[in-house]
Structures are given as C-alpha cells and as structure tokens.
Amino acid sequence: MHEYERRQDQAREHIRATIMNEFCEVMRTTGLPPMVVMRLAAQSVGNIYREIAAAHRGIEPCPCGWQPVEASDIEVLIAALRCAARPAPQVTDLGAMRAAGTA
Ligand SMILES: [Zn+2]
C-alpha cells in the first residue's frame, strides 16, 4: 500500500472513531433521536468546510495553496456522504442475480 493511502486510511479510521464516540455520547446525554444527531453531525461537517474555506481566502490566507471551489467542493462532500451511507451490495443479491441470469 502506498504511503498516501496508508495515511488516508489512518485518518479515515481516526475521524470515524472520534465521531462515533461523540455521536454515542450525545445520544446518551441528550436523548435526541439518531437522525437528529446525524443531521447535526452532517451540519458540523458543512460548517467546518465553510470555516476552513474562509481561512484559505482573504488578505492572509493559509499558505498551503489550496483554493476552495465552493460549488464543486460541496458536490464532493455530498457524493462522499451518499456513497458512504448506502448499504454495500449483499452477497445474496449477487447470488440472486446469477440465478436470474442463468434461468
Ligand atoms: Zn491550507
């Protein structure tokens, strides 16, 4: 595995575990329903994007060189959420497709 992929996997797992811990803690302490807390978490990602993007514009932007392109950046975030939230295809579905194909 390439170094970049390894770092990306490590970051993904760290963020997932952190958000899962906080999600469970908020559910436990507030008693709010899961979808309310999910929506708050998704809104937080949007807010973080807006703050980080703002730090890359203006008179003294972050020197890393990233230039936010709001429309396409937000599409990337929506696609990532949609892709990650969809259930993975089930093995039984593939079996049913194969059976249907040979019938
Ligand atoms: Zn930067």
Side-chain angles (χ1 to χ4, degrees):
M1 185 184 292
H2 292 102
E3 171 63 15
Y4 182 79
E5 290 167 339
R6 191 192 63 73
R7 282 187 288 146
Q8 196 170 313
D9 285 351
Q10 202 172 31
R12 180 184 298 111
E13 180 49 29
H14 176 82
I15 291 169
R16 193 204 66 79
T18 302
I19 292 175
M20 179 64 91
N21 284 342
E22 296 304 319
F23 181 86
C24 292
E25 178 68 9
V26 167
M27 290 276 295
R28 192 181 63 75
T29 57
T30 66
L32 290 169
M35 269 314 292
V36 171
V37 180
M38 289 281 178
R39 183 165 46 79
L40 294 173
Q43 285 172 337
S44 293
V45 172
N47 288 335
I48 290 168
Y49 169 79
R50 191 160 37 79
E51 288 176 37
I52 300 295
H56 287 78
R57 294 191 194 101
I59 297 165
E60 280 188 65
C62 171
C64 79
W66 176 56
Q67 295 185 325
V69 181
E70 191 172 299
S72 62
D73 292 344
I74 291 171
E75 286 305 311
V76 166
L77 295 177
I78 290 168
L81 178 65
R82 185 177 288 132
C83 180
R86 281 209 175 119
Q90 299 297 303
V91 174
T92 52
D93 293 345
L94 295 173
M97 284 168 60
R98 232 176 262 124
T102 55

